[in-house]
Amino acid sequence: MSQVSNRPDLMNLSFSGCGFLCVYHTGVAAAIKEYAPHLTQNRISGASAGSIIAAALLNGICISQTTSTILKVVTQANKRTLGPVNPQFNLLEIVREEVEKTLPPDAYKTCTNRLFISLTRWADRENVIVSEYCSNEDLVDAIMCSCFIPFYCGFSRPKYRGVEYMDGGLSNNQPVYDRHTVTVSPFSGESDICPPDWDSASMFGLYFHRTSVRLTTRNMFRLMACFLPRNAEDCAKMCLQGFEDALRFLTKNGLAPCIRCLTILTNTEGAVCPRSDAELNGSGNAPGPSKKPRKRTPSQRTNYDSDMETCCESEHVYNTGVHSVVPPLLMKPFTEAIAAEQSMFAYLFSFRIMKLARTAFGLSVLPIDVAVLLAKNILTWLSAVAAPPWLVHKFQQLSHFILNEIGTQQSRYTKFSCHMSVMEFDSAQLQKYDEKDFEMIEMSDDAKRELEIIKEVERKKKGGVDLQCKDSAAKRKLSKHSSFDDASARKSDSPSGSKTPSTSSAVAKDWTYMARKGNFQKRLILFYFQDDVDSLQHVIKYSQQHDAMYEFHYYDENNKLKSFELFNMADPTKRHTCHSSIDSPRCVSTVLEECEQPEPLGCSMRRMGAPFHLSTQSLPVPLQQHSLRSIPASPEPLVDSVERTSTSPPDVDEVDSGLSGMDAHPRTSISSNSSHKWDRQSTSNAYGRRDACCSPVRHLSSTNSNSVRSLNSGATSSASTSGTLVSSGSRKSHVQRRHTMATSLPFNRKHSILQPTSSVKQQQQPRGLPSLISSDSEADGGEKLFVPSRRFRRTSNDYDAGQEESDEEEEEEKQEIQTQRSCKHSKEETNV
Amino acid sequence: MADASVLEKNEDTQNVQDHVDESIYPTSSTTNKGFLQYFFSWGSPNEGKLIAAEKRMMSSSGITDYKSKFVKARFKSSEIYTMTVECKAEDKEPDPIVLMHGFGTGSAIWCNNFHELAAKHDVHAFDLLGFGRSARPNFSSDGTLAELELVETIEDWRKEMGIDKMYLVGHSFGAYIASSYALEHPAHVKYLILADAWGFPEKILPTEKQISPYPWMIFLGSVLAYFNPFTVLRLAGPYARHAMKILRPDMQERFRSERRSDIYDYLYECNALNPTGETAFMSMCLPYGWAKRPMIRRFNGIDENIPATFIFGSKSWVDPGPAFDIQMLRNDVDVQIVRGAGHHIYADMPEEFNRIVLEATNYSPESHNNDDKEQQ
């Protein structure tokens, strides 16, 4: 196939206006920043909320934090009775605050002549596109004008340079600079980057001020979600969809090569491409007549680009298979305790009538809200208007009376105030783990199986009676504990973590005990751990060692903090300083700025003990890379030495075939080595990037140019191998954290599960990163794990959902992979 | 001044054609109406407007000398409206290019393409039975039979036109029917060019990772999916044109004409008539626009010797996946993606589209095979 009139070098982005759905744009922006940063150097246009993202992308603002901020605003908006239209909720003000806070001081210079914002003049409803800003204020004004939807956002019209404007989406929702403009829209339709909505084949669509909207059910929902987002979870889904769609676009246009293509490329030399057909099939999700391996006839153009363009789908970019995890046995006391507390209300509120009643109640409160607003407005108006002092005084008295009265009565008329305190609760305080979250830990089937085995071992050793009593003890404690309101319970806890030490110790004992068992068990556990690359342990370890390429978090309806992290497998050492969670002197987090906790707590979700979703598409890849790097020798079979098994698990080898395509490609192998060098030049080489669909491969430093990468790998390794308590700031904080964690209950549990291997790691790991040295460093996770349920990715095919493969083929593949691997080894050695 | 006079002259000749056209226009569309339908309808659709809009669309893209006629088909003795632009070149090739429009449109939408495509070949465009200006007989309610009936009318049309082999160009639904025709009558297809083909992929089920709309939206969507797509348009009657102008402002950018409203007039009049073609289409597809018998399952039954080119717009919502699948299984299949074009590639990027089609007509399997050998 071929692309006609494609000029990637001239591409410039255009973000459509879409209200709250601009989270979709953040997903797109994250992918672009990672894979095709050169696009951020070109012009970017935007309308409405799209202009915010455009400005963020141009100024190199951390997209992860932007996402979290938007999700936070969504949650805030949803708390109100009427959602974002609640008179008390000033969306524009919040947006302005956040934008002003995040924009760098010289943003207007960067944006002038590069950021094109579409505005609609209030007077004649004509479209105006501005691109010149003389100060940051000017820039923010323009963005605010573009976001102002009359009546929805309020009644006072914002001004840009003295002229009143309204939402740019009302005249031109998709400013297009030239024919090379890449249009980004969260609505499925005729845009370059948009959700494909493959499951509808609707042929009809409409154009809303140049944004194409296809008539599908999902688009109908999206249109509504623009203004009334249902919940933050939907927004998070949209965000990930954006990431995926952007990746697909970049892959199609050869801006981000794809791991699958490389595999195909190598395999086509032998005329048969095992399962490549299926990959390509993935583009259409069409099972089709393609079960047998296909021969590629030479008549087809088998050039590199053509293959790259064919992989359209990247199903695996994230995985939504949500499973509950952790041994059910362990969970039982918690779930029961929670159930006992919640059953009554949960049951009642499950009725629609109750929900309606709640809404009605909220509505009845609305007049009071309006009165408050009115009183406030009168106050401000009085200060501006010249009136006789006695009149002013009278009015002031009146409004103060209203405000005071309502203030004092608030507890009576609204129970939402209580809710708010929970929602606005500093994330840092969540450090004290909410045991409710524990039940939500999500894992793949394999991980579950693994835990099942651990449980088995434990049961053999200890007998059921012992456990039972422990369980009941824990249960008693818990039920007592959870009878409190969540928020109050958490708030009452001091930051040092004085939370029910007895409970935690009781439960934790089980696991520590288990962990300290004899060699035999340890090996057994290890075996299962390393057998399964998707294991909980791997995931935790990996997430702690590496920076997420893209990370965001939000509160769901149940006030649970959810987080999502996307890791760049191909370049595990790359630091994303803007939202880094690894201990480093420079940890910044805008979203969590409000928290008054010192750095180690604020810098990462994991540190705070908040649960997080971890999406790991191709965990095995980096692992293997890592092991290769650290131990050039070939992996040995599983023996007593725990060291070896944990570092170079033999099974992992087979996992890597996705990368094997590289071997035949000399340029790629070069790049894999250069990945450690922060070498901008060599890595920006398009062929150097390995996998696009599955995981990012760009080795470029984050576009945030002013971020100082204070840690390089060499320094890190020296710090970690020393094994002693280094008095560096990061190290200290780490120790500190360990203390606080030790007392909080669920971590300990999880921690001890992982203990055997992690302690081993400490001994042998040659160049570990500072965060995982100690045995309970892994305690940081009160994580919700989001582990891909697929186990090994032997071939690129595994990235496709639902492709079954026969055993024979598997065998063949394994052999192939083995050979490829061996050659890779030799290369690796020579390179070393 | 000279130009203007030429234009006027052409107007005159066309007016003559007009009268001819109207006199032979079949009246089946009006006779089929039931009482209720008659009572609630907005009056009979205006044929004159349709013809005038078509004329203006063609003339504003520089085609003034096209011939239009009605060709008889055996199926319910219906007539197929055909537009022909003859090649003026002396060394013209014998095999014509035949254009098949998509769903809910007519032959005039190819107005941007006639001229260039007619460089070496005669170009025919016909309205599918049940669409555009063709007759509107009732098709079988069974999708498979309806498809076959459509295909057979094309075969009749071909015989009547005296064409032996043709380059078949189809867009959207037309591409589906063209493939179906190639399955039945491969001997008369020289090359298959399918632009944004509809009806190829299998039905795809929604995945969990996508947002799920409110239940009431899903319900509403599934109810709407059972209606003929243009029912709303017919119900809106005279207001439909205005509504289309608001909802599809892109159309007038795509099909530029002297009068900006021409395309809306044309599309409205095309679809305001008795929608038998639409009903046939609905019988061929599952809810949400999936084909009941996806072409991807059947495409490989087409004679191996017929080469095919798939053209997709990069912005189009049509999934090019099946085309790649087919490319894997067949020789001589080319897939082209036109960057920046939407579903209506021939209108969005006429130059690119024409180039691709002309390239395809220059294609000869012998030379291609030679290339292969060289490569080997």
Side-chain angles (χ1 to χ4, degrees):
Chain A
M1 68 156 265
S2 52
Q3 285 255 24
V4 178
S5 73
N6 189 19
R7 294 289 305 274
D9 47 321
L10 291 176
M11 278 179 186
N12 56 82
L13 294 163
S14 163
F15 292 103
S16 75
C18 51
F20 279 109
L21 284 193
C22 65
V23 280
Y24 180 85
H25 292 332
T26 60
V28 173
I32 283 169
K33 215 171 154 180
E34 187 69 25
Y35 294 103
H38 69 272
L39 283 182
T40 63
Q41 304 305 312
N42 292 354
R43 296 178 182 87
I44 303 183
S45 18
S48 194
S51 63
I52 303 174
I53 311 302
L57 202 54
L58 271 177
N59 287 300
I61 290 163
C62 177
I63 298 295
S64 302
Q65 286 172 24
T66 314
T67 315
S68 300
T69 311
I70 293 168
L71 291 174
K72 193 181 75 178
V73 174
V74 170
T75 320
Q76 276 176 8
N78 271 339
K79 281 180 327 205
R80 313 276 175 162
T81 310
L82 286 179
V85 264
N86 190 299
Q88 292 264 341
F89 181 74
N90 193 341
L91 180 62
L92 225 50
E93 204 47 50
I94 295 172
V95 173
R96 177 183 278 271
E97 236 170 63
E98 296 289 351
V99 170
E100 275 174 353
K101 204 163 65 184
T102 35
L103 280 183
D106 62 339
Y108 68 96
K109 281 182 202 157
T110 331
C111 291
T112 297
N113 288 327
R114 282 177 61 202
L115 174 63
F116 292 77
I117 299 178
S118 161
L119 302 173
T120 308
R121 207 181 293 128
W122 181 272
D124 52 4
R125 286 189 27 213
E126 280 300 304
N127 184 249
V128 179
I129 290 185
V130 292
S131 63
E132 279 182 23
Y133 318 97
C134 56
S135 65
N136 256 9
E137 193 124 316
D138 221 23
L139 175 62
V140 175
D141 274 348
I143 293 174
M144 284 308 112
C145 285
S146 192
C147 292
F148 175 73
I149 306 165
F151 308 120
Y152 175 78
C153 287
F155 295 91
S156 57
R157 289 161 277 187
K159 284 181 183 172
Y160 169 71
R161 296 192 174 171
V163 184
E164 286 175 339
Y165 289 99
M166 55 183 172
D167 194 313
L170 296 175
S171 54
N172 184 355
N173 202 31
Q174 188 92 65
V176 170
Y177 184 76
D178 56 19
R179 63 196 291 257
H180 301 289
T181 301
V182 176
T183 50
V184 184
S185 156
F187 305 107
S188 173
E190 295 192 345
S191 304
D192 287 307
I193 301 179
C194 66
D197 275 11
W198 294 131
D199 54 316
S200 168
S202 162
M203 296 165 82
F204 306 97
L206 49 90
Y207 272 68
F208 175 77
H209 298 297
R210 299 199 192 170
T211 297
S212 164
V213 182
R214 199 149 66 103
L215 293 179
T216 65
T217 329
R218 205 165 281 124
N219 260 352
M220 211 157 40
F221 176 74
R222 289 195 192 104
L223 277 172
M224 200 169 156
C226 268
F227 307 110
L228 306 166
R230 183 163 61 177
N231 53 39
E233 201 178 334
D234 277 350
C235 292
K237 271 188 179 176
M238 278 305 287
C239 180
L240 297 173
Q241 174 94 54
F243 191 91
E244 189 186 315
D245 294 336
L247 215 52
R248 195 176 52 242
F249 173 80
L250 294 176
T251 311
K252 268 188 190 168
N253 288 284
L255 293 169
C258 143
I259 189 167
R260 293 186 275 179
C261 309
L262 287 163
T263 321
I264 293 162
L265 196 73
T266 37
N267 290 333
T268 38
E269 321 243 304
V272 180
C273 47
R275 211 123 314 100
S276 62
D277 50 336
E279 261 95 82
L280 297 163
N281 227 354
S283 61
N285 279 0
S290 56
K291 289 295 176 211
K292 57 181 189 235
R294 288 168 178 170
K295 285 215 170 169
R296 299 206 80 189
T297 53
S299 69
Q300 264 131 36
R301 306 174 200 184
T302 44
N303 61 24
Y304 183 75
D305 300 283
S306 73
D307 280 328
M308 245 164 43
E309 285 146 4
T310 47
C311 23
C312 303
E313 257 308 61
S314 46
E315 277 295 323
H316 48 273
V317 164
Y318 59 97
N319 186 337
T320 34
V322 178
H323 307 286
S324 98
V325 182
V326 182
L329 194 70
L330 237 181
M331 284 317 303
K332 220 174 133 201
F334 295 102
T335 42
E336 278 177 8
I338 292 157
E341 190 226 349
Q342 280 197 335
S343 59
M344 191 64 181
F345 288 107
Y347 177 71
L348 278 178
F349 279 112
S350 68
F351 288 108
R352 192 162 292 171
I353 186 85
M354 284 302 285
K355 279 181 195 158
L356 285 174
R358 240 162 92 161
T359 315
F361 179 69
L363 283 175
S364 70
V365 164
L366 211 64
I368 307 179
D369 283 343
V370 175
V372 173
L373 207 71
L374 214 68
K376 275 183 188 162
N377 279 350
I378 288 173
L379 273 183
T380 48
W381 175 71
L382 279 177
S383 60
V385 160
W390 60 269
L391 190 68
V392 175
H393 188 67
K394 267 258 157 30
F395 266 112
Q396 267 175 352
Q397 264 187 334
L398 184 71
S399 357
H400 279 303
F401 169 75
I402 296 175
L403 285 178
N404 285 338
E405 199 57 26
I406 288 171
T408 51
Q409 301 283 320
Q410 200 162 35
S411 55
R412 233 183 261 174
Y413 83 83
T414 175
K415 62 180 173 150
F416 296 110
S417 59
C418 148
H419 271 271
M420 261 181 274
S421 68
V422 182
M423 304 294 278
E424 282 159 6
F425 190 68
D426 273 352
S427 345
Q429 304 224 17
L430 280 177
Q431 168 206 14
K432 264 125 295 99
Y433 188 82
D434 176 8
E435 58 275 7
K436 262 196 206 170
D437 292 339
F438 201 49
E439 90 191 289
M440 286 297 291
I441 293 176
E442 292 141 7
M443 258 167 104
S444 69
D445 291 338
D446 299 301
K448 268 196 259 176
R449 212 181 315 131
E450 163 199 321
L451 280 168
E452 207 55 40
I453 285 148
I454 299 172
K455 234 170 55 190
E456 198 70 19
V457 171
E458 178 201 24
R459 210 177 287 142
K460 270 184 205 155
K461 196 76 187 170
K462 289 181 61 190
V465 190
D466 200 10
L467 245 164
Q468 276 253 313
C469 98
K470 288 223 162 92
D471 277 353
S472 59
K475 184 176 169 182
R476 239 180 295 124
K477 283 281 178 201
L478 266 172
S479 54
K480 197 170 125 199
H481 186 77
S482 54
S483 61
F484 287 99
D485 181 30
D486 282 344
S488 61
R490 260 178 273 156
K491 269 191 170 167
S492 67
D493 279 323
S494 70
S496 63
S498 60
K499 188 186 200 171
T500 58
S502 54
T503 321
S504 57
S505 62
V507 187
K509 232 190 252 169
D510 294 358
W511 291 93
T512 40
Y513 179 70
M514 186 213 75
R516 278 182 203 136
K517 272 176 288 183
N519 236 359
F520 171 69
Q521 258 100 23
K522 210 189 269 177
R523 231 177 302 138
L524 193 74
I525 291 161
L526 266 179
F527 176 77
Y528 281 108
F529 271 142
Q530 59 88 43
D531 177 34
D532 189 349
V533 281
D534 275 350
S535 77
L536 175 65
Q537 196 230 358
H538 276 297
V539 174
I540 293 175
K541 193 174 75 207
Y542 190 81
S543 66
Q544 279 175 341
Q545 277 174 348
H546 303 284
D547 270 348
M549 173 184 75
Y550 185 39
E551 176 260 5
F552 61 81
H553 50 266
Y554 60 92
Y555 289 94
D556 71 355
E557 297 129 323
N558 305 321
N559 289 357
K560 280 178 195 155
L561 190 64
K562 286 194 169 179
S563 173
F564 179 90
E565 304 196 6
L566 209 56
F567 287 91
N568 187 339
M569 293 299 135
D571 186 9
T573 47
K574 179 176 171 182
R575 299 302 310 273
H576 292 73
T577 33
C578 52
H579 55 265
S580 172
S581 55
I582 302 176
D583 280 349
S584 80
R586 228 183 141 272
C587 286
V588 195
S589 167
T590 339
V591 181
L592 302 167
E593 251 173 26
E594 301 141 26
C595 79
E596 280 139 45
Q597 297 294 330
E599 176 263 336
L601 304 173
C603 67
S604 121
M605 310 253 325
R606 267 173 263 132
R607 289 296 118 77
M608 296 176 320
F612 73 104
H613 285 208
L614 182 66
S615 168
T616 49
Q617 316 90 7
S618 48
L619 255 186
V621 177
L623 253 170
Q624 192 224 12
Q625 266 190 324
H626 193 83
S627 64
L628 279 173
R629 236 181 289 133
S630 49
I631 315 174
S634 63
E636 280 166 66
L638 186 69
V639 283
D640 277 17
S641 151
V642 183
E643 233 178 271
R644 215 170 284 128
T645 50
S646 62
T647 36
S648 55
D651 282 340
V652 174
D653 298 353
E654 271 138 63
V655 154
D656 189 37
S657 79
L659 278 179
S660 54
M662 298 167 32
D663 298 317
H665 223 282
R667 286 153 97 176
T668 37
S669 65
I670 291 164
S671 86
S672 76
N673 289 317
S674 65
S675 68
H676 316 302
K677 294 176 193 162
W678 311 112
D679 189 344
R680 211 178 169 118
Q681 278 307 101
S682 70
T683 48
S684 58
N685 167 12
Y687 295 94
R689 303 175 234 140
R690 268 173 305 191
D691 51 346
C693 300
C694 30
S695 68
V697 200
R698 296 297 311 223
H699 307 305
L700 289 188
S701 60
S702 71
T703 40
N704 195 354
S705 54
N706 52 4
S707 77
V708 186
R709 190 171 288 106
S710 52
L711 269 185
N712 64 33
S713 54
T716 331
S717 63
S718 70
S720 58
T721 42
S722 66
T724 54
L725 278 184
V726 188
S727 62
S728 77
S730 61
R731 187 76 189 149
K732 244 185 200 163
S733 63
H734 183 232
V735 178
Q736 229 173 31
R737 191 183 58 245
R738 203 195 307 169
H739 277 297
T740 56
M741 289 304 167
T743 47
S744 68
L745 145 82
F747 299 125
N748 272 353
R749 279 173 149 197
K750 185 139 1 99
H751 270 245
S752 21
I753 303 174
L754 308 166
Q755 201 158 15
T757 30
S758 58
S759 59
V760 167
K761 268 262 134 54
Q762 186 184 359
Q763 294 160 9
Q764 53 76 221
Q765 194 165 26
R767 50 177 301 283
L769 290 164
S771 61
L772 16 125
I773 321 296
S774 91
S775 59
D776 54 347
S777 63
E778 277 170 340
D780 304 3
E783 302 90 330
K784 271 179 202 172
L785 290 171
F786 219 29
V787 185
S789 51
R790 252 161 278 125
R791 189 161 157 188
F792 295 124
R793 293 181 170 121
R794 282 187 200 85
T795 64
S796 42
N797 174 45
D798 281 3
Y799 291 104
D800 265 320
Q803 292 284 348
E804 291 298 320
E805 49 192 60
S806 76
D807 288 354
E808 290 165 21
E809 281 167 344
E810 241 173 52
E811 282 296 319
E812 268 178 35
E813 268 163 38
K814 271 187 190 171
Q815 280 172 4
E816 235 179 67
I817 290 149
Q818 221 95 52
T819 51
Q820 279 166 348
R821 251 195 66 75
S822 61
C823 94
K824 185 180 182 173
H825 258 294
S826 58
K827 253 178 207 166
E828 199 74 44
E829 272 167 359
T830 52
N831 284 332
V832 167
Chain B
M1 277 305 286
D3 287 345
S5 64
V6 171
L7 265 177
E8 269 171 35
K9 244 186 204 170
N10 289 328
E11 274 302 318
D12 289 342
T13 53
Q14 274 169 29
N15 282 339
V16 178
Q17 273 180 7
D18 261 9
H19 296 300
V20 178
D21 288 348
E22 277 169 64
S23 60
I24 55 166
Y25 195 83
T27 50
S28 58
S29 58
T30 42
T31 49
N32 286 348
K33 268 191 178 170
F35 171 73
L36 273 180
Q37 254 176 312
Y38 180 78
F39 192 77
F40 284 107
S41 70
W42 292 94
S44 60
N46 193 338
E47 303 294 339
K49 258 191 173 168
L50 178 61
I51 294 160
E54 179 192 292
K55 289 249 150 72
R56 269 197 303 275
M57 278 173 71
M58 295 295 277
S59 66
S60 55
S61 39
I63 305 149
T64 47
D65 53 349
Y66 70 95
K67 290 175 184 163
S68 55
K69 61 176 170 185
F70 287 93
V71 177
K72 274 226 158 36
R74 279 173 303 163
F75 179 65
K76 298 191 179 175
S77 64
S78 339
E79 288 174 311
I80 299 171
Y81 177 71
T82 310
M83 288 157 82
T84 305
V85 176
E86 277 174 0
C87 172
K88 296 272 165 56
E90 285 174 10
D91 57 336
K92 88 170 177 188
E93 309 216 353
D95 303 320
I97 297 173
V98 175
L99 307 173
M100 289 168 75
H101 64 82
F103 179 70
T105 50
S107 299
I109 54 156
W110 299 103
C111 59
N112 293 324
N113 311 94
F114 277 118
H115 191 71
E116 283 180 55
L117 293 185
K120 271 195 165 180
H121 306 260
D122 287 340
V123 182
H124 302 290
F126 65 90
D127 291 355
L128 287 169
L129 218 55
F131 292 97
R133 286 177 65 184
S134 288
R136 308 213 164 201
N138 284 317
F139 292 93
S140 165
S141 57
D142 180 72
T144 315
L145 283 179
E147 191 183 318
L148 208 66
E149 283 164 1
L150 261 175
V151 165
E152 286 313 309
T153 57
I154 297 171
E155 175 63 5
D156 289 347
W157 176 85
R158 183 197 62 78
K159 278 182 193 156
E160 201 74 11
M161 294 289 289
I163 300 167
D164 179 36
K165 281 209 163 220
M166 52 190 174
Y167 298 95
L168 209 49
V169 182
H171 170 246
S172 192
F173 179 59
Y176 178 81
I177 297 297
S179 324
S180 191
Y181 177 80
L183 263 173
E184 297 292 326
H185 304 282
H188 304 295
V189 181
K190 199 165 185 194
Y191 202 110
L192 209 50
I193 299 157
L194 308 173
D196 248 34
W198 174 86
F200 273 67
E202 302 259 3
K203 184 164 179 152
I204 294 164
L205 294 172
T207 49
E208 205 183 294
K209 70 182 176 186
Q210 285 173 311
I211 48 168
S212 53
Y214 293 108
W216 63 266
M217 280 183 170
I218 297 171
F219 174 75
L220 190 70
S222 55
V223 168
L224 287 178
Y226 280 97
F227 282 92
N228 273 0
F230 288 117
T231 307
V232 182
L233 185 130
R234 279 184 289 276
L235 286 177
Y239 304 102
R241 260 167 247 157
H242 193 67
M244 278 203 300
K245 242 178 250 183
I246 293 170
L247 294 178
R248 294 303 298 262
D250 60 306
M251 279 298 190
Q252 56 192 12
E253 306 288 323
R254 284 180 164 143
F255 303 96
R256 289 185 182 279
S257 178
E258 293 164 45
R259 274 165 50 183
R260 310 211 84 191
S261 61
D262 277 345
I263 180 68
Y264 301 110
D265 283 345
Y266 185 73
L267 288 180
Y268 171 70
E269 298 296 347
C270 274
N271 293 299
L273 297 163
N274 188 17
T276 57
E278 237 175 289
T279 317
F281 169 78
M282 290 304 282
S283 69
M284 283 178 224
C285 69
L286 301 166
Y288 302 113
W290 296 101
K292 262 185 196 158
R293 302 166 67 221
M295 197 46 82
I296 188 167
R297 290 192 214 142
R298 306 187 275 154
F299 198 86
N300 289 309
I302 296 177
D303 190 347
E304 277 285 324
N305 296 321
I306 300 178
T309 294
F310 287 87
I311 312 173
F312 292 96
S314 72
K315 292 185 181 184
S316 168
W317 56 70
V318 176
D319 175 16
F324 294 126
D325 274 348
I326 287 163
Q327 192 181 31
M328 285 298 203
L329 287 165
R330 287 174 68 94
N331 292 328
D332 297 336
V333 173
D334 192 18
V335 182
Q336 303 262 352
I337 292 184
V338 181
R339 160 100 181 96
H343 184 56
H344 297 274
I345 312 157
Y346 51 87
D348 285 344
M349 294 273 181
E351 307 90 27
E352 299 294 342
F353 181 83
N354 295 338
R355 191 182 56 73
I356 294 168
V357 174
L358 288 177
E359 254 174 36
T361 55
N362 288 329
Y363 168 95
S364 66
E366 292 79 27
S367 68
H368 200 72
N369 287 340
N370 290 341
D371 285 352
D372 292 347
K373 275 169 199 163
E374 278 165 30
Q375 275 178 13
Q376 281 169 348

